[in-house]
Amino acid sequence: MKRKKSSKQAAVLLLAGLMAGALSGCNGSDAAASSEAASAVGEEIAALSDINPSVQADRFSEGGRIKINLPEHTGEDADSDPETAPDSELIMEDVSYVMIYNPYFYDENNELLYPTDPANLNTGSFGSQISAGIYRGDELEEEEPLIGTIAQNIINEEFNAGDFSASESRGAGLDPVYEEGDTKEFYCGWTRVKKKFTCLYEGDSCYIWSLEDSITYEDAEEFGREFDNTIYPVDTEYFGTARFTENGGKIHLLFYPIEYSGSGKLLGYFAQSDLYTADEAGSYVDVYKMNTDHALIHINSDTLSDGREVVCSTMGHELQHLVCFSDCFYSEDIVIMDTWLNEAMSAYAEDLLYPGSKDREGYNTFFYKSDLYRNGQSLYNFSTRNDRHIGAYGAVYLFSEYLTEQAGDHVFSAVHSYWREAGSSANEMDAVIQAVPKEFYDRIDQSYGFSESVSADFANASEEWFSKMTLDFYLNTVKGDFANLGEDKANYNLLMQYREINPLDIEGGGKIIITPKNNQYAIPSDADENLIYIGLNEQYEPVAFYGLEG
């Protein structure tokens, strides 16, 4: 049963200091606005468009948040059809765009954590008060790139880690030694067929295996040396050590043409079922077609034609996945990290090794063009609906860029450390919170204050803080500050906007952006309670908030 918005909640916050790039200047003071400040509110609003962002941040950081009690408004002045006109006492004025944000979130199974009901929050009827459909065009059609990775939740969707013993007596793994010219059968491909591979390269940290003549000896040596000299030392220093490599063991890279029924050419993958010992796997070896006692990465040899750096960045991407699942074996209970955060860290691995790789592969651009995220899909929902998952990659890639830029280059290294130590209590929110510096945590916590009704639905302070951080991420990315787009970022801001006039269910952790007519938006009376509304000016800077308190 959906909870409706209370008509008594008629307060808008003007947080002019919360501009992307200037947020660090806000002290988030909760001091009440004095009567003198209240009387000057009109002047401050009128001057907003003329204030330099840096000066504006300084001015408002001293005074804290300013709460504005707006006069009653029934929506009669809105440019709306009589039958669908919003009936609300709250109107956001002098805004070019409005971001509507659902502050709650999903788990890996796309099920809402808090509150348990409803799963989505509905925007209510827009009527004709928003501009819609004016940005339609061929450029809005979401396209798949010619190449792509495959998400961990798809690779492992048939695999259940709960089938295996979680006792303390885990096997150490054999990780046998090989020489160039040796042959061995491995399960490989989307259908996990066992085929014979030949070892073409034995390096300091890896073996390069080829199925028949998938790659040449020269290719194997080139990629093996790059892995030994660059990829392995950088990734392991930052993320940690993969299972079976602690005592001199090596990473096994299988090169072969990977057949994939989905769209695009698959670059490679890591399968969680490949990281167990034979003793641990037991009778499930044949059920899951497991390659035991080896640290394995699968690479599509067909992608060599797409460039050497594509292959190398894929090896770094998949090595992070391997290390991430290796972290689960430090405790009795295997707690698998949600895909969205796992993929964000692999995105960072690519740029750590080969700066700019995310942009060259086009993922950032497709986030802006994705219908999934334009229509309210959650950051935490790594859905691949009908293989159209490129927007999901773009979202977490931008998140990795945001978090490292805002919280420091070593934030994901700290996430790995947390996951190795937390054991059965590990969760994504605490992993990020434990990894970020106190200064970043305090800035987010002090810059945003959810209303009492919103806060009541979170189980603890960690969840509420994480929701605030996601909102901050959206307010930064909407400005296009975290991607080298190569085009006018305003074009991408238009692409991000919701293009319909129909009511919409926004997923927890998701948002939409609408364009109100006449620079004002009346919140419909049939909108679900606890949505957050952020008014943006023409430069996509936040100028008004609803659903937050001082």
Side-chain angles (χ1 to χ4, degrees):
M1 179 174 172
K2 293 181 177 177
R3 298 164 297 160
K4 302 303 179 184
K5 181 184 69 65
S6 169
S7 62
K8 295 181 179 179
Q9 289 178 307
V12 173
L13 293 182
L14 181 63
L15 277 76
L18 291 178
M19 291 184 177
L23 287 172
S24 59
C26 299
N27 61 17
S29 170
D30 288 329
S34 66
S35 58
E36 181 179 347
S39 64
V41 163
E43 297 178 9
E44 297 287 6
I45 296 176
L48 273 179
S49 60
D50 298 322
I51 299 175
N52 179 279
S54 61
V55 176
Q56 181 174 317
D58 291 339
R59 292 180 63 183
F60 281 87
S61 65
E62 295 178 2
R65 303 189 185 96
I66 300 177
K67 180 180 290 186
I68 305 173
N69 293 315
L70 295 176
E72 289 189 2
H73 187 89
T74 63
E76 295 174 356
D77 295 336
D79 183 12
S80 306
D81 295 328
E83 295 181 358
T84 59
D87 183 16
S88 173
E89 294 181 354
L90 177 72
I91 184 169
M92 305 185 80
E93 297 185 288
D94 299 324
V95 293
S96 298
Y97 312 97
V98 176
M99 180 187 293
I100 306 176
Y101 171 60
N102 183 343
Y104 305 112
F105 28 81
Y106 283 77
D107 64 9
E108 177 73 336
N109 297 317
N110 301 333
E111 297 172 354
L112 198 69
L113 294 179
Y114 302 99
T116 56
D117 180 42
N120 304 308
L121 296 181
N122 189 270
T123 61
S125 300
F126 291 114
S128 60
Q129 68 166 329
I130 70 171
S131 299
I134 61 175
Y135 306 119
R136 284 196 173 97
D138 292 340
E139 74 278 6
L140 293 179
E141 296 299 321
E142 184 179 9
E143 301 171 355
E144 289 291 341
L146 297 177
I147 58 177
T149 53
I150 186 166
Q152 286 295 291
N153 56 347
I154 298 181
I155 283 291
N156 302 295
E157 61 185 352
E158 302 298 329
F159 177 72
N160 181 15
D163 289 336
F164 301 89
S165 171
S167 68
E168 295 181 353
S169 56
R170 288 204 173 102
L174 299 176
D175 195 45
V177 175
Y178 299 95
E179 296 179 351
E180 293 180 14
D182 286 352
T183 61
K184 180 175 173 56
E185 289 187 332
F186 293 99
Y187 285 112
C188 65
W190 192 244
T191 55
R192 304 290 285 182
V193 176
K194 183 172 281 189
K195 295 184 179 181
K196 183 181 291 186
F197 286 75
T198 302
C199 181
L200 300 187
Y201 176 85
E202 176 191 359
D204 296 333
S205 60
C206 70
Y207 295 104
I208 305 292
W209 298 83
S210 174
L211 176 64
E212 298 175 346
D213 296 321
S214 297
I215 60 173
T216 66
Y217 277 96
E218 290 77 16
D219 289 332
E221 183 176 24
E222 177 183 350
F223 292 124
R225 287 181 174 176
E226 180 68 10
F227 192 88
D228 282 338
N229 298 330
T230 302
I231 298 171
Y232 187 82
V234 170
D235 265 13
T236 54
E237 180 181 3
Y238 186 91
F239 298 111
T241 306
R243 198 178 191 208
F244 303 141
T245 65
E246 294 92 338
N247 298 313
K250 300 174 183 179
I251 306 296
H252 300 261
L253 297 144
L254 308 185
F255 280 76
Y256 61 98
I258 302 178
E259 296 181 1
Y260 177 50
S261 58
S263 55
K265 184 192 297 182
L266 197 61
L267 292 175
Y269 70 89
F270 159 73
Q272 292 168 357
S273 58
D274 286 340
L275 204 56
Y276 289 80
T277 67
D279 290 342
E280 291 166 348
S283 61
Y284 284 99
V285 167
D286 295 328
V287 174
Y288 289 120
K289 299 179 180 179
M290 303 168 70
N291 295 303
T292 58
D293 299 305
H294 294 74
L296 282 174
I297 292 173
H298 302 250
I299 300 294
N300 190 346
S301 57
D302 288 343
T303 60
L304 267 66
S305 61
D306 297 306
R308 293 309 203 245
E309 190 169 292
V310 171
V311 177
C312 293
S313 64
T314 301
M315 290 192 289
H317 179 112
E318 301 303 334
L319 179 56
Q320 189 287 136
H321 286 320
L322 196 161
V323 173
C324 187
F325 191 55
S326 297
D327 293 343
C328 299
F329 289 87
Y330 281 81
S331 62
E332 289 189 23
D333 298 319
I334 294 177
V335 180
I336 298 175
M337 184 181 292
D338 282 359
T339 302
W340 71 269
L341 182 56
N342 194 345
E343 293 290 352
M345 293 195 295
S346 280
Y348 180 70
E350 290 190 46
D351 258 21
L352 182 67
L353 291 160
Y354 308 101
S357 61
K358 299 196 303 293
D359 298 323
R360 286 189 293 274
E361 292 169 14
Y363 291 120
N364 289 343
T365 298
F366 279 101
F367 164 70
Y368 284 84
K369 292 187 175 184
S370 172
D371 275 330
L372 301 180
Y373 288 90
R374 183 185 300 109
N375 296 344
Q377 178 165 309
S378 171
L379 169 68
Y380 326 125
N381 178 0
F382 206 92
S383 172
T384 60
R385 304 170 191 174
N386 299 320
D387 292 322
R388 299 171 74 84
H389 61 273
I390 195 65
Y393 274 105
V396 298
Y397 277 21
L398 284 172
F399 177 77
S400 74
E401 193 169 353
Y402 159 81
L403 195 59
T404 53
E405 190 165 315
Q406 298 289 314
D409 291 338
H410 294 283
V411 64
F412 290 129
S413 178
V415 168
H416 272 266
S417 297
Y418 163 88
W419 214 265
R420 287 190 290 269
E421 298 168 1
S424 59
S425 64
N427 68 78
E428 291 72 24
M429 285 174 285
D430 287 342
V432 172
I433 289 172
Q434 294 298 319
V436 301
K438 184 178 183 300
E439 293 78 9
F440 175 72
Y441 181 94
D442 289 343
R443 178 179 71 76
I444 295 296
D445 196 45
Q446 294 168 7
S447 295
Y448 303 93
F450 287 143
S451 66
E452 184 176 350
S453 61
V454 173
S455 295
D457 282 323
F458 293 106
N460 53 55
S462 294
E463 290 158 6
E464 185 168 357
W465 181 89
F466 204 86
S467 180
K468 295 175 183 178
M469 182 201 64
T470 303
L471 174 58
D472 189 67
F473 162 64
Y474 285 135
L475 289 174
N476 278 275
T477 55
V478 75
K479 291 171 62 61
D481 289 345
F482 296 93
N484 299 315
L485 298 174
E487 297 182 34
D488 184 356
K489 67 182 180 184
N491 294 334
Y492 289 90
N493 285 322
L494 297 180
L495 291 175
M496 292 179 71
Q497 295 178 34
Y498 181 61
R499 306 196 315 262
E500 305 295 334
I501 61 173
N502 302 317
L504 182 71
D505 283 332
I506 301 178
E507 293 180 350
K511 59 94 182 73
I512 65 170
I513 300 172
I514 58 175
T515 306
K517 293 181 179 178
N518 304 320
N519 295 101
Q520 61 182 27
Y521 176 67
I523 297 176
S525 60
D526 61 342
D528 281 343
E529 185 183 34
N530 291 347
L531 285 169
I532 305 296
Y533 299 84
I534 304 97
L536 307 172
N537 63 17
E538 290 184 356
Q539 289 73 44
Y540 295 88
E541 297 163 339
V543 293
F545 286 60
Y546 172 70
L548 300 169
E549 293 184 346

